[in-house]
Amino acid sequence: MRKRRLFTGALMMLGVISMGFVQAVKRPNVIIILADDMGYSDIGCFGGDARTPNLDALAAGGLKMTQFYNASRCCPSRASLLTGLYPHQAGVGDMVNTRVQPAYQGYLNQNSVTIAEAMKRSGYNTYMAGKWHVGQAPEHWPVKRGFDRYFGLIDGANSYFGNIPYRPNQTLTIALDDKPYDPGPGYYSTDAYTDYAIKFIDEGQPSGKPFFLYLAYQAPHWPLQALPEDIQKYKGKFMAGWDELRMQRFKRMKASGILPANAVLSPRDSSLRDWNTLNTDEKVRWDDQMAVYAAMIDRMDQNIGRLRKKLRELKQDKNTVIMFLSDNGASHEKINPTGFTPQMFANSQKMASEPGSFTAYGIPGANVSNTPFRMFKHWEYEGGTSTPFIAYGPGIVKPGIKSDRPAHLIDLMPTCLGLAAAPYPKQYRGNTITPAEGVSLLPVFRGNLWKGHPALFFEHEGSRAVRQGDWKLVSEFPANKWQLYNIRSDRAEIHDLGAKNPAKVKELVGLYENWTKHAGVIDFDKLEKKRSD
């Protein structure tokens, strides 16, 4: 009865009951869909070239947030999303390398609780499919952190196909629940993750419980690998070159309101040549990479469509909230010999559309994907930390609205718990739980006033940032020079205003330093680099 009263109160706050959308109190299903290494402008409704009709429909029928932030790299972002904490507080201040410092131990700690753990205690079935990457040892796998069922990639990157003869020179695990799984021929990870997500939902229906699903696609993280029928849609579509394609996206983003009318496009990355100086072979190779990359996003969107179709078949589509975002900005990374067999490195030299290839699109592709921003995954500039964010839920998310308020991954925990009428625990399994850092997005879902954050903070491998209102203070390691930008007038971070506003720089530096003590951040050059295992 107490849960019913709590949820009724939450729905009244949202205006759901008073607006007549809900006849009886029924807690919604909640789905979080996470893309991997996808840039800010890669989906259709945010200006991209890939065909994403399902995501576009969710955005048109729900909410788009244009200033939503992640933690700039895969492991920290996933830790933050799952726990509602800053990554360091959850034990994943860097990557999954095991270090002696608690904030950098490389797996979720016991002073954090996952969304799945909290919602399971309140009567939800909890499922996950896709990439985990916040604890590689079996004792840290999803089924040990609150998920009833799991299928996916425990590690950071792997082939999308199951019959690739050459794999990275390291132990990589695909798992079903708590056992390794051999995918075999006919496997394509994006399809397989959705297959299992649908299977889990189907099998849980007789329980009558609502469900929480965390669907963490591997796409479009390297290696660039897609199905031939999807690649064919995009061959030749990128021969206009990176400068023209960035400008086309930029114009679409302004026309749709993703960017304001006064937005400025950042210059082409300084490492890139003028497109017109490339020879034909170079242009064809890049077009091929971009075609495969777009095909990977296209296939992800097709699978989101499959999931929505299943919800309709189960008559759960009007009682499900879906949220979509990416774990970091687009990736500039290239395939290099470290950690790869000689044959795998040889495969990285193939055309991306060739069978057995293992390639990445590097800075040329990432600079387009992150339009209009500069820099990439790993850095704390907008190109590293900005993600498209979509929320959809009939009767809960107001249709066709947009918000430019700054929000963060840490906000997903209180949002999910608000939807589920689930309390955030102070104790869990005998451990004291660190208080959550986020602010529920439920008022934003209804288009109402939202208190937001006094400030948001970022740190990854020495790169740092603070976002306060329209101001953003940012620096990159190892230069460690603070730069100040006004995000309202200069979201592409072109004009450093630090010299003209020393008092604001000092104020934000003070906020940052206080936060590092609060979150357990260690200066990167002082962090013990030696692994403890």
Side-chain angles (χ1 to χ4, degrees):
M1 181 61 72
R2 182 171 179 270
K3 287 180 180 177
R4 177 180 287 269
R5 287 198 301 268
L6 285 170
F7 185 60
T8 302
L11 289 176
M12 290 180 68
M13 179 187 73
L14 282 165
V16 173
I17 291 176
S18 64
M19 295 179 70
F21 288 117
V22 173
Q23 300 302 318
V25 174
K26 185 178 181 182
R27 294 187 295 170
N29 309 306
V30 180
I31 299 174
I32 295 177
I33 302 173
L34 186 69
D36 192 357
D37 278 13
M38 192 191 78
Y40 184 73
S41 68
D42 275 333
I43 58 176
C45 55
F46 273 71
D49 302 283
R51 301 175 189 175
T52 56
N54 293 290
L55 284 169
D56 297 349
L58 293 176
L63 162 71
K64 296 192 292 284
M65 296 191 75
T66 63
Q67 296 194 38
F68 200 99
Y69 289 105
N70 49 51
S72 82
R73 193 99 178 258
C74 40
C75 308
S77 282
R78 289 159 203 276
S80 196
L81 181 156
L82 283 164
T83 66
L85 304 174
Y86 284 107
H88 313 76
Q89 295 172 300
V92 192
D94 188 10
M95 300 293 282
V96 293
N97 294 334
T98 304
R99 291 191 174 97
V100 296
Q101 296 92 343
Y104 299 84
Q105 66 183 26
Y107 53 90
L108 297 181
N109 61 34
Q110 296 301 314
N111 298 113
S112 63
V113 64
T114 69
I115 297 173
E117 287 169 330
M119 293 181 75
K120 185 174 182 176
R121 289 186 1 145
S122 291
Y124 272 68
N125 291 329
T126 56
Y127 312 127
M128 180 180 173
K131 175 174 164 178
W132 178 238
H133 210 202
V134 284
Q136 292 174 287
E139 61 266 28
H140 306 308
W141 287 8
V143 290
K144 299 297 195 296
R145 294 307 308 242
F147 288 98
D148 295 320
R149 300 298 310 275
Y150 170 70
F151 175 81
L153 176 66
I154 294 295
D155 315 280
N158 202 347
S159 296
Y160 285 72
F161 295 101
N163 58 347
I164 298 296
Y166 304 105
R167 297 176 183 274
N169 188 24
Q170 53 185 291
T171 301
L172 296 173
T173 302
I174 298 172
L176 176 59
D177 296 326
D178 58 354
K179 299 289 190 300
Y181 174 94
D182 185 1
Y187 174 91
Y188 186 71
S189 65
T190 306
D191 292 345
Y193 297 159
T194 312
D195 289 344
Y196 274 93
I198 289 173
K199 174 181 169 66
F200 297 156
I201 292 170
D202 248 338
E203 291 177 349
Q205 285 301 292
S207 72
K209 296 180 180 180
F211 66 83
F212 168 67
L213 168 66
Y214 174 38
L215 180 53
Y217 285 113
Q218 186 180 341
H221 192 292
W222 57 261
L224 300 178
Q225 294 177 345
L227 297 168
E229 61 268 32
D230 295 328
I231 298 172
Q232 191 56 42
K233 302 176 190 177
Y234 297 99
K235 294 281 275 186
K237 302 286 188 184
F238 300 92
M239 290 297 287
W242 41 68
D243 291 326
E244 177 60 27
L245 289 165
R246 289 184 80 225
M247 182 56 69
Q248 289 176 8
R249 290 194 183 197
F250 181 62
K251 289 179 179 177
R252 289 196 292 267
M253 295 167 86
K254 291 177 77 169
S256 67
I258 296 298
L259 297 175
N262 68 343
V264 176
L265 178 64
S266 67
R268 177 203 319 140
D269 190 87
S270 60
S271 67
L272 299 181
R273 294 157 52 191
D274 185 314
W275 174 258
N276 295 319
T277 68
L278 274 65
N279 62 42
T280 300
D281 287 346
E282 291 171 320
K283 291 179 178 179
V284 168
R285 175 173 284 273
W286 187 74
D287 174 77
D288 184 72
Q289 290 175 339
M290 293 299 290
V292 176
Y293 181 84
M296 295 164 76
I297 295 174
D298 186 312
R299 176 61 59 158
M300 176 177 66
D301 186 81
Q302 292 177 49
N303 276 277
I304 292 169
R306 289 179 57 210
L307 178 62
R308 295 191 68 202
K309 181 174 183 288
K310 171 55 66 174
L311 293 174
R312 289 193 294 272
E313 290 172 357
L314 296 174
K315 295 183 170 44
Q316 294 291 328
D317 54 310
K318 291 182 170 56
N319 189 46
T320 301
V321 174
I322 301 173
M323 292 171 272
F324 173 86
L325 69 162
S326 179
D327 66 341
N328 44 246
S331 173
H332 64 297
E333 297 163 341
K334 294 182 179 180
I335 306 298
N336 62 61
T338 304
F340 293 91
T341 64
Q343 182 61 54
M344 183 60 75
F345 184 64
N347 286 356
S348 74
Q349 309 306 304
K350 291 183 176 183
M351 295 287 282
S353 58
E354 289 184 68
S357 68
F358 200 97
T359 63
Y361 72 174
I363 289 177
N367 199 205
V368 173
S369 289
N370 277 345
T371 302
F373 309 133
R374 63 188 182 98
M375 301 301 284
F376 317 102
K377 166 186 177 180
H378 181 284
W379 286 278
E380 307 300 351
Y381 296 99
E382 296 289 288
T385 59
S386 296
T387 173
F389 180 87
I390 296 168
Y392 173 87
I396 294 176
V397 182
K398 188 176 180 180
I401 58 174
K402 178 175 67 69
S403 172
D404 62 0
R405 294 292 303 280
H408 190 281
L409 288 166
I410 56 177
D411 300 326
L412 297 187
M413 169 70 85
T415 302
C416 291
L417 298 192
L419 290 166
Y424 182 83
K426 295 181 179 180
Q427 298 280 328
Y428 186 73
R429 291 181 177 173
N431 299 298
T432 299
I433 300 303
T434 304
E437 296 281 351
V439 181
S440 173
L441 296 169
L442 295 184
V444 185
F445 285 7
R446 292 305 316 147
N448 296 332
L449 291 175
W450 182 59
K451 69 176 183 177
H453 298 270
L456 291 169
F457 300 93
F458 308 83
E459 191 278 336
H460 181 66
E461 295 188 346
S463 291
R464 311 165 292 177
V466 183
R467 174 74 194 268
Q468 182 197 55
D470 293 337
W471 292 106
K472 184 177 175 188
L473 191 71
V474 61
S475 76
E476 59 182 283
F477 185 83
N480 296 331
K481 180 185 181 297
W482 286 113
Q483 303 150 48
L484 181 68
Y485 299 100
N486 186 297
I487 296 301
R488 180 175 293 276
S489 60
D490 180 26
R491 189 151 180 222
E493 297 167 308
I494 298 171
H495 304 292
D496 180 4
L497 303 177
K500 295 180 180 178
N501 298 274
K504 177 56 69 173
V505 171
K506 183 178 180 180
E507 176 192 352
L508 295 182
V509 168
L511 289 178
Y512 177 80
E513 291 177 347
N514 288 336
W515 172 76
T516 62
K517 298 180 181 69
H518 170 74
V521 177
I522 299 172
D523 289 346
F524 191 61
D525 52 4
K526 298 177 182 176
L527 181 64
E528 174 60 55
K529 302 304 190 294
K530 184 178 179 180
R531 292 169 52 162
S532 63
D533 57 351

